Amino acid sequence: MEETTGMLEKIRHHDKVAIALNENCAIPLPDDVMRILRKPHRLSFYYFQYLEKGAATFKTDLEEFTIHDGELAFGLPNQIFTKLPYDKNMPQYALSFDENTLTMLPGLYPFLVNPFNVNTISFDPASQQRIKNLLSGLFQLLHAPGKQKKAEVILAHLHTLLTEFNTAYFEEYQGQEINASTKLSKYIAFKLTVENNLAEQHDVQSIADKLALTSNTLYSIVKEYAGVSPKEWIINRLMLEAQRKLLYSSVSVKELAYELGFNDPRYFSRVFKKSTGKSVSSYLADLKDLSNN
């Protein structure tokens, strides 16, 4: 299985934001990247392909699906993703960004939990035009000659785009039932349980009981789909929320720790550093540097 760890660094189109956007395959990709993309590969970032006209077929994990005019295919971190051969001359956009970029955005985008286990989104004609305009505008911002656009401008466009995706996803699939007999549905249920009560001190055994699973079964399911243990997944999600709150509010470390369900701010600080590789103060200093560039 091909891994994509480090790939986004090779193709990113902004110094401060780990994001890449290609329009109609106008920007050639490095040969080693193309070699990986031609085969099934485990995503280490979020990937979206919007097809303006034509048809293209993909696989996520073992599910094969085809998108057509005005539809979007997307893949999430840790999914096995495959783009089957298709006509690269079709009008299209390919967008990639990482988890850290997601922490810089002001919104929550529940479709990225993928509760309905689908990897396509359809848009009505008016939405199609907005999506095309947003992608085209973002492409121009990222690839304009001269000095790079400020990160906040790039992030504002990305936030609007993801809001469009999120709205269309739930308009299309709301009301569908998830097959409760599959392992994937249990993984989705695990994620939603954590997401809906994020600030609680989550006990893995209690979640397993709620999902009618043993703790060992829950461990194996989460490990299979996320690549980490349930406890690690919960910590990673809390640290994602911590980074978002640090970016968009002036909350103190102590207040933030309590907001996220940590009784000991010092323990929270240690977990933050272990998860992000930076102390809270270093992370805030990097954010200040980001806003000044």
Side-chain angles (χ1 to χ4, degrees), residues 37-172:
L37 295 181
R38 290 190 184 105
K39 302 176 182 179
H41 49 279
R42 185 184 299 278
L43 287 170
S44 58
F45 48 83
Y46 296 91
Y47 178 79
F48 305 83
Q49 184 156 343
Y50 178 73
L51 196 60
E52 191 177 342
K53 289 188 180 299
T57 301
F58 305 81
K59 282 185 178 179
T60 52
D61 299 315
L62 299 177
E63 292 291 324
E64 185 172 306
F65 58 92
T66 300
I67 60 171
H68 301 88
D69 298 5
E71 294 183 336
L72 179 83
F74 65 93
L76 306 175
N78 291 300
Q79 279 192 312
I80 307 302
F81 196 80
T82 311
K83 294 197 290 185
L84 301 182
Y86 62 92
D87 182 2
K88 292 181 173 57
N89 293 318
M90 294 182 298
Q92 60 185 284
Y93 293 87
L95 169 69
S96 304
F97 59 84
D98 67 358
E99 196 79 44
N100 187 55
T101 299
L102 192 62
T103 69
M104 300 179 189
L105 298 173
L108 295 174
Y109 317 96
F111 86 102
L112 293 178
V113 179
N114 201 6
F116 303 114
N117 186 28
V118 293
N119 287 84
T120 66
I121 305 176
S122 299
F123 305 94
D124 60 40
S127 298
Q128 289 178 30
Q129 188 61 52
R130 291 196 303 272
I131 296 297
K132 179 184 176 182
N133 290 342
L134 285 165
L135 286 165
S136 177
L138 184 55
F139 180 83
Q140 292 172 33
L141 287 170
L142 288 168
H143 299 284
K147 185 178 179 181
Q148 282 194 329
K149 297 298 181 183
K150 285 185 176 293
E152 60 189 21
V153 178
I154 302 299
L155 294 170
H157 279 71
L158 182 58
H159 164 64
T160 304
L161 189 62
L162 291 183
T163 301
E164 288 276 7
F165 292 170
N166 190 78
T167 300
Y169 177 96
F170 285 99
E171 285 181 348
E172 183 173 0

Side-chain angles (χ1 to χ4, degrees), residues 3-4 17 34 46 65 81 86 88-89 93 99 106 119 132 156 160 167 178 216 220-221 236 251 262 277 290-291:
E3 299 291 338
T4 60
V17 181
M34 288 302 301
Y46 296 91
F65 58 92
F81 196 80
Y86 62 92
K88 292 181 173 57
N89 293 318
Y93 293 87
E99 196 79 44
N119 287 84
K132 179 184 176 182
T160 304
T167 300
I178 301 171
N216 287 340
S220 66
I221 290 172
N236 290 342
V251 65
F262 289 83
L290 178 69
S291 65

Side-chain angles (χ1 to χ4, degrees), residues 23-40:
E23 180 181 55
N24 302 330
C25 300
I27 302 172
L29 296 177
D31 290 340
D32 58 337
V33 171
M34 288 302 301
R35 178 185 61 79
I36 293 174
L37 295 181
R38 290 190 184 105
K39 302 176 182 179

